[in-house]
Amino acid sequence: MKKWIILVFVIILGTGVFYTVARTEPPITLKELITQPQQWQVKVPDTTASIHLTSIKQLQQQPYLMGEYQTPDGADNTTIYLDANQAVQQGKYIATSFVTTNSGSGTFYYLSVFEQHNKKLENLTNVFIGDRINIEKIAIVNNNPLMIKIDYKTHGENTPYALPADVAKSQIYQLKDNQLVLQK
């Protein structure tokens, strides 16, 4: 009788473990995520709003994930273009950049960190990098704590914004309490 109870217990326990493992979906890969804009939830800079990206747009022969946000009063419309080509992943974290444009003349670039939860991405934080810059590379240089290096070109003191950015810069940010903190 004791052997039967143990056997039934093992079968029930094994079935429960199998069911749990079978129900857990593997995380979606970065390659898949950059083709599915609706998985990306982005915090709109200078607001308390978040949006889901809605489409893929080709800019300069590269795919960008795109979404739009309109202020509640309808006065301003912000478009976000997430650079899928710059995205790098380390474990559950993805670092990339995005650009915002609105009714003004600026094109504002942000470094962004996302955390993957199954097939959805939560935008943990964004940090402003510059206006009308050229981001060359984003790399995750350390996993614990998460540290991200961004290489880009910005405008020199005497370079008008109408000309290409020409001054090379590098910065390293650490993810600390869901904020990107510039390292000295």
Side-chain angles (χ1 to χ4, degrees):
M1 182 74 169
K2 194 174 184 181
K3 289 181 182 178
W4 281 103
I5 293 173
I6 292 173
L7 181 61
V8 169
F9 179 73
V10 168
I11 291 172
I12 291 171
L13 183 64
T15 303
V17 168
F18 177 77
Y19 177 74
T20 302
V21 170
R23 279 190 39 201
T24 306
E25 296 181 36
I28 191 167
T29 66
L30 182 57
K31 187 175 181 180
E32 292 172 296
L33 283 168
I34 61 176
T35 64
Q36 299 177 16
Q38 67 279 6
Q39 306 301 337
W40 299 77
Q41 179 180 338
V42 180
K43 292 179 181 178
V44 180
D46 303 322
T47 73
T48 57
S50 291
I51 63 165
H52 284 279
L53 302 179
T54 57
S55 62
I56 299 173
K57 184 169 184 158
Q58 293 289 325
L59 299 173
Q60 302 167 344
Q61 290 117 17
Q62 299 294 329
Y64 282 77
L65 308 181
M66 189 182 102
E68 293 183 322
Y69 169 76
Q70 189 164 16
T71 57
D73 63 4
D76 197 15
N77 189 35
T78 299
T79 304
I80 293 176
Y81 299 96
L82 186 131
D83 190 346
N85 301 301
Q86 294 284 352
V88 291
Q89 184 171 17
Q90 181 67 45
K92 64 181 179 177
Y93 296 107
I94 296 174
T96 191
S97 64
F98 68 82
V99 180
T100 65
T101 60
N102 54 28
S103 57
S105 63
T107 305
F108 306 107
Y109 287 77
Y110 293 83
L111 176 62
S112 188
V113 175
F114 293 84
E115 185 175 15
Q116 186 174 6
H117 301 282
N118 292 325
K119 295 188 177 196
K120 297 283 185 188
L121 290 170
E122 176 189 356
N123 185 197
L124 294 179
T125 187
N126 306 314
V127 66
F128 177 71
I129 301 297
D131 181 7
R132 292 172 260 191
I133 64 171
N134 180 21
I135 295 179
E136 296 181 325
K137 184 177 180 184
I138 296 172
I140 295 176
V141 294
N142 193 19
N143 188 35
N144 194 10
L146 186 70
M147 297 183 82
I148 301 161
K149 181 180 180 189
I150 182 167
D151 298 319
Y152 62 99
K153 287 191 177 171
T154 188
H155 292 88
E157 283 185 36
N158 299 319
T159 307
Y161 280 118
L163 295 177
D166 60 349
V167 177
K169 285 187 86 174
S170 288
Q171 294 177 319
I172 295 178
Y173 289 88
Q174 178 182 345
L175 183 65
K176 187 174 183 179
D177 298 323
N178 286 344
Q179 297 295 316
L180 285 169
V181 179
L182 180 63
Q183 301 299 288
K184 303 286 179 197

